[in-house]
Short mmCIF file of all heavy atoms in Angstrom, two decimals:
data_model
loop_
_atom_site.label_atom_id
_atom_site.label_comp_id
_atom_site.label_asym_id
_atom_site.label_seq_id
_atom_site.Cartn_x
_atom_site.Cartn_y
_atom_site.Cartn_z
N THR B 42 133.63 98.30 227.40
CA THR B 42 133.67 97.16 228.15
C THR B 42 134.77 96.25 227.64
O THR B 42 135.37 96.39 226.60
CB THR B 42 132.34 96.43 228.07
OG1 THR B 42 132.18 96.06 226.66
CG2 THR B 42 131.18 97.35 228.36
N GLY B 43 134.97 95.14 228.41
CA GLY B 43 136.00 94.16 228.01
C GLY B 43 135.49 93.60 226.68
O GLY B 43 136.42 93.36 225.87
N ASP B 44 134.27 93.28 226.57
CA ASP B 44 133.78 92.64 225.27
C ASP B 44 133.98 93.62 224.09
O ASP B 44 134.29 93.28 223.01
CB ASP B 44 132.34 92.39 225.37
CG ASP B 44 132.02 91.13 226.30
OD1 ASP B 44 133.08 90.39 226.49
OD2 ASP B 44 130.90 90.80 226.70
N ASP B 45 133.78 94.96 224.36
CA ASP B 45 133.95 95.96 223.28
C ASP B 45 135.36 95.83 222.82
O ASP B 45 135.65 95.78 221.59
CB ASP B 45 133.67 97.34 223.80
CG ASP B 45 132.23 97.68 224.09
OD1 ASP B 45 131.34 96.97 223.53
OD2 ASP B 45 131.97 98.61 224.92
N ARG B 46 136.30 95.96 223.83
CA ARG B 46 137.69 95.88 223.50
C ARG B 46 138.11 94.62 222.80
O ARG B 46 138.90 94.69 221.80
CB ARG B 46 138.67 96.07 224.72
CG ARG B 46 138.46 97.45 225.39
CD ARG B 46 139.36 97.59 226.58
NE ARG B 46 140.77 97.60 226.30
CZ ARG B 46 141.44 98.62 225.88
NH1 ARG B 46 140.95 99.78 225.91
NH2 ARG B 46 142.77 98.46 225.64
N ALA B 47 137.72 93.52 223.28
CA ALA B 47 137.98 92.30 222.60
C ALA B 47 137.58 92.28 221.07
O ALA B 47 138.23 91.82 220.19
CB ALA B 47 137.36 91.12 223.33
N PHE B 48 136.28 92.72 220.86
CA PHE B 48 135.82 92.94 219.53
C PHE B 48 136.65 93.74 218.67
O PHE B 48 137.07 93.47 217.51
CB PHE B 48 134.39 93.26 219.54
CG PHE B 48 133.78 93.66 218.20
CD1 PHE B 48 133.13 92.66 217.47
CD2 PHE B 48 133.85 95.00 217.68
CE1 PHE B 48 132.67 93.04 216.10
CE2 PHE B 48 133.31 95.32 216.42
CZ PHE B 48 132.71 94.20 215.71
N LEU B 49 136.98 94.93 219.23
CA LEU B 49 137.73 95.95 218.47
C LEU B 49 139.14 95.43 218.06
O LEU B 49 139.72 95.69 217.07
CB LEU B 49 137.78 97.20 219.16
CG LEU B 49 136.48 97.95 219.40
CD1 LEU B 49 136.66 99.12 220.39
CD2 LEU B 49 135.94 98.50 218.09
N ILE B 50 139.72 94.68 219.01
CA ILE B 50 141.07 94.22 218.74
C ILE B 50 140.94 93.02 217.76
O ILE B 50 141.76 92.98 216.76
CB ILE B 50 141.68 93.56 220.10
CG1 ILE B 50 142.13 94.65 221.01
CG2 ILE B 50 142.91 92.71 219.87
CD1 ILE B 50 142.42 94.29 222.49
N ARG B 51 139.94 92.17 217.88
CA ARG B 51 139.82 91.15 216.93
C ARG B 51 139.54 91.49 215.54
O ARG B 51 139.98 90.99 214.50
CB ARG B 51 138.55 90.21 217.42
CG ARG B 51 138.48 88.88 216.62
CD ARG B 51 137.35 87.97 217.25
NE ARG B 51 135.98 88.57 217.16
CZ ARG B 51 135.33 88.96 218.23
NH1 ARG B 51 135.80 88.78 219.51
NH2 ARG B 51 134.05 89.48 218.03
N GLU B 52 138.80 92.65 215.41
CA GLU B 52 138.57 93.13 214.10
C GLU B 52 139.54 94.21 213.53
O GLU B 52 139.37 94.80 212.53
CB GLU B 52 137.08 93.93 214.04
CG GLU B 52 135.89 93.01 214.35
CD GLU B 52 135.71 91.93 213.18
OE1 GLU B 52 135.90 92.27 212.01
OE2 GLU B 52 135.43 90.73 213.56
N GLY B 53 140.60 94.36 214.27
CA GLY B 53 141.65 95.33 213.88
C GLY B 53 141.35 96.74 213.94
O GLY B 53 141.98 97.53 213.27
N HIS B 54 140.53 97.15 214.88
CA HIS B 54 140.24 98.63 215.06
C HIS B 54 140.98 99.27 216.15
O HIS B 54 141.14 100.47 216.07
CB HIS B 54 138.71 98.76 215.17
CG HIS B 54 137.87 98.32 214.17
ND1 HIS B 54 137.81 98.89 212.91
CD2 HIS B 54 136.94 97.33 214.01
CE1 HIS B 54 137.07 98.45 212.07
NE2 HIS B 54 136.42 97.36 212.75
N LEU B 55 141.41 98.52 217.13
CA LEU B 55 142.15 99.11 218.23
C LEU B 55 143.61 99.00 217.95
O LEU B 55 144.19 97.81 217.64
CB LEU B 55 141.72 98.37 219.43
CG LEU B 55 142.18 99.02 220.80
CD1 LEU B 55 141.41 100.36 220.98
CD2 LEU B 55 141.97 98.14 221.91
N VAL B 56 144.35 100.04 217.87
CA VAL B 56 145.78 100.06 217.49
C VAL B 56 146.56 100.36 218.76
O VAL B 56 146.55 101.45 219.32
CB VAL B 56 146.09 101.18 216.44
CG1 VAL B 56 147.47 101.06 216.03
CG2 VAL B 56 145.15 101.00 215.20
N ASP B 57 147.28 99.37 219.25
CA ASP B 57 147.97 99.34 220.46
C ASP B 57 149.43 99.78 220.17
O ASP B 57 150.10 99.30 219.23
CB ASP B 57 148.12 97.97 221.04
CG ASP B 57 148.43 97.94 222.45
OD1 ASP B 57 149.46 98.65 222.83
OD2 ASP B 57 147.95 97.25 223.33
N ALA B 58 149.85 100.71 221.00
CA ALA B 58 151.30 101.27 220.70
C ALA B 58 152.39 100.22 220.93
O ALA B 58 153.49 100.38 220.39
CB ALA B 58 151.58 102.43 221.76
N ASP B 59 152.00 99.19 221.65
CA ASP B 59 153.06 98.08 221.83
C ASP B 59 152.95 96.98 220.74
O ASP B 59 153.72 96.10 220.75
CB ASP B 59 152.89 97.38 223.18
CG ASP B 59 153.17 98.36 224.32
OD1 ASP B 59 153.93 99.32 224.09
OD2 ASP B 59 152.65 98.19 225.46
N ASP B 60 152.00 97.11 219.80
CA ASP B 60 151.79 96.15 218.91
C ASP B 60 152.28 96.62 217.48
O ASP B 60 151.55 97.28 216.72
CB ASP B 60 150.31 95.79 218.72
CG ASP B 60 149.98 94.80 217.74
OD1 ASP B 60 150.88 94.23 217.10
OD2 ASP B 60 148.74 94.51 217.46
N ALA B 61 153.52 96.34 217.17
CA ALA B 61 154.16 96.81 215.96
C ALA B 61 153.39 96.28 214.71
O ALA B 61 153.20 96.95 213.84
CB ALA B 61 155.62 96.42 215.94
N LEU B 62 153.06 95.03 214.72
CA LEU B 62 152.25 94.45 213.67
C LEU B 62 151.00 95.07 213.45
O LEU B 62 150.60 95.39 212.30
CB LEU B 62 152.16 92.91 213.86
CG LEU B 62 151.47 92.11 212.70
CD1 LEU B 62 152.29 92.29 211.42
CD2 LEU B 62 151.40 90.68 213.03
N GLY B 63 150.21 95.33 214.51
CA GLY B 63 148.98 95.96 214.48
C GLY B 63 149.15 97.33 213.83
O GLY B 63 148.27 97.83 213.14
N GLN B 64 150.15 98.03 214.36
CA GLN B 64 150.37 99.43 213.81
C GLN B 64 150.79 99.37 212.28
O GLN B 64 150.22 100.13 211.53
CB GLN B 64 151.58 100.10 214.55
CG GLN B 64 151.20 100.41 215.94
CD GLN B 64 152.19 101.34 216.60
OE1 GLN B 64 152.85 102.17 215.98
NE2 GLN B 64 152.46 101.14 217.89
#
Side-chain angles (χ1 to χ4, degrees):
Chain B
T42 66
D44 285 348
D45 290 340
R46 292 181 65 86
F48 172 86
L49 293 170
I50 291 169
R51 188 173 66 243
E52 294 295 322
H54 295 293
L55 193 68
V56 185
D57 195 317
D59 294 338
D60 179 4
L62 182 59
Q64 289 190 34

